[in-house]
Amino acid sequence: MIETKLLFHLSDIHFGLEDNHALDWVKREIADRKPDAVAITGDLTMRARQREFDAATAWIKSLEAPVTVEVGNHDLPYFNPIERFFDPYKRIRAISDKVEREIDLPGLAIIPLKTVRRWQPRLNWSKGWVTNAALDRCLTALDALPQGTQALVTVHHPLREVGTQGTALTMHGQKALNELAQRPVLAVLSGHVHDAFDIMEETVHGKVRMIGAGTLSQRVRSTPPSFNELRWDGESLQVKVRNLEDFRTRDMMIRDVPEDAMPPRKPGEPVAPVGRVPRTDPPIH
């Protein structure tokens, strides 16, 4: 019998425009609850400045749990194109042991899948792109898992394509989902959208569960800062959205991944009413 695993899923911390009240709360929760692992699905900073990375890495290193970190589009250098192309992870080396790290727990593994690129043949480089090399690394790790082990795949961008190739949210995301549907993947954990969601995505090989975490920054979209608390008992994966305002999980979740996937609200503007997009399908697990 597998002992229940407690995991925390955080995303879009955005140091440089972080919410220190929320971060202090999450750090206390990790110290008190002692999760088996913490997955942070990208956007540690606002503009990938060194001072932002210094603050982000110091906070991450202070967490009292095993941590794996995905890189987000905000974590690639904005103002130094040479560094962006030739040494994009230079400023994050302080936690290089945690970046795209596989975490193996009894019966459960956390496997990274990189969705950011240092350049793209389209104007909006903030959107996701799954390269063949990144997908091959992820699939190789999944195929090497012991028999019976389930996996959570961590990405920054939701693996969703919407419309034409030029406006796709994540290029080659459907290809990745098709492959993941053929493997023992419980869910794909992502960020980027700044609101939580829990949806099932159809593929030619079956459904893949996609779980998104909200933000812990001031760049909120339609719900307050939050993180996901995941429980795996060997049979089902349960998700609870945690937030300081104690809104219900259902009221914190959006129904679908928006095409723009960008938080339109500026700091200081009022937050839209929570639950304005009631979640109806699938049911919360």
Side-chain angles (χ1 to χ4, degrees):
M1 181 176 180
I2 296 178
E3 183 179 348
T4 299
K5 304 294 186 299
L6 174 64
L7 309 170
F8 282 6
H9 171 204
L10 326 178
S11 201
D12 296 80
I13 301 170
H14 285 297
F15 272 87
L17 201 60
E18 73 275 17
D19 185 326
N20 286 304
H21 185 41
L23 291 177
D24 290 344
W25 163 65
V26 171
K27 185 175 177 178
R28 288 194 304 270
E29 285 290 310
I30 292 172
D32 292 345
R33 302 286 303 285
K34 296 179 172 52
D36 295 283
V38 174
I40 304 177
T41 51
D43 278 0
L44 309 182
T45 69
M46 268 302 298
R47 289 290 180 263
R49 297 182 176 93
Q50 188 62 59
R51 64 178 180 272
E52 295 172 349
F53 272 123
D54 289 345
T57 55
W59 186 81
I60 290 169
K61 289 169 73 173
S62 74
L63 301 180
E64 300 175 22
V67 178
T68 180
V69 174
E70 282 300 300
V71 174
N73 52 285
H74 278 260
D75 300 325
L76 297 184
Y78 267 64
F79 307 115
N80 188 331
I82 294 177
E83 188 175 305
R84 182 184 180 98
F85 280 88
F86 295 104
D87 198 1
Y89 291 179
K90 176 182 178 180
R91 303 183 189 193
I92 204 173
R93 284 179 185 157
I95 54 168
S96 59
D97 60 322
K98 305 179 190 302
V99 175
E100 296 173 9
R101 169 193 179 188
E102 177 178 337
I103 294 181
D104 294 299
L105 303 170
L108 180 66
I110 303 176
I111 306 292
L113 172 58
K114 182 179 176 182
T115 61
V116 298
R117 289 192 72 179
R118 61 193 76 184
W119 75 278
Q120 296 184 33
R122 56 179 172 177
L123 292 177
N124 191 344
W125 291 6
S126 72
K127 295 186 178 183
W129 191 300
V130 180
T131 65
N132 289 334
L135 182 57
D136 287 345
R137 285 194 298 270
C138 176
L139 298 179
T140 297
L142 287 169
D143 292 340
L145 293 176
Q147 184 72 27
T149 297
Q150 299 291 305
L152 296 169
V153 173
T154 53
V155 300
H156 175 60
H157 301 84
L159 297 180
R160 163 69 66 82
E161 301 220 27
V162 285
T164 65
Q165 202 171 45
T167 60
L169 183 63
T170 298
M171 199 72 74
H172 307 309
Q174 191 62 51
K175 175 183 177 182
L177 285 168
N178 290 342
E179 293 290 343
L180 297 180
Q182 302 177 71
R183 290 165 171 85
V185 174
L186 290 172
V188 179
L189 309 183
S190 64
H192 190 59
V193 177
H194 289 224
D195 279 327
F197 60 83
D198 182 0
I199 61 179
M200 301 297 289
E201 188 72 6
E202 295 281 356
T203 81
V204 294
H205 299 294
K207 295 181 179 179
V208 177
R209 189 175 179 183
M210 301 201 310
I211 298 172
T215 181
L216 290 171
S217 75
Q218 299 177 48
R219 301 183 76 230
V220 294
R221 188 182 179 109
S222 64
T223 53
S226 66
F227 72 94
N228 291 339
E229 179 179 303
L230 310 178
R231 286 187 174 275
W232 166 244
D233 62 6
E235 295 183 1
S236 66
L237 180 67
Q238 299 177 351
V239 181
K240 181 178 182 180
V241 182
R242 300 285 311 281
N243 64 95
L244 282 168
E245 285 78 1
D246 291 327
F247 287 111
R248 299 182 310 160
T249 288
R250 185 177 297 277
D251 290 337
M252 288 291 296
M253 284 187 174
I254 60 174
R255 181 186 302 146
D256 205 348
V257 180
E259 182 172 350
D260 60 6
M262 295 293 287
R265 175 184 164 276
K266 296 179 181 178
E269 293 178 347
V271 180
V274 176
R276 63 176 176 79
V277 213
R279 187 184 125 102
T280 58
D281 183 40
I284 293 173
H285 298 268

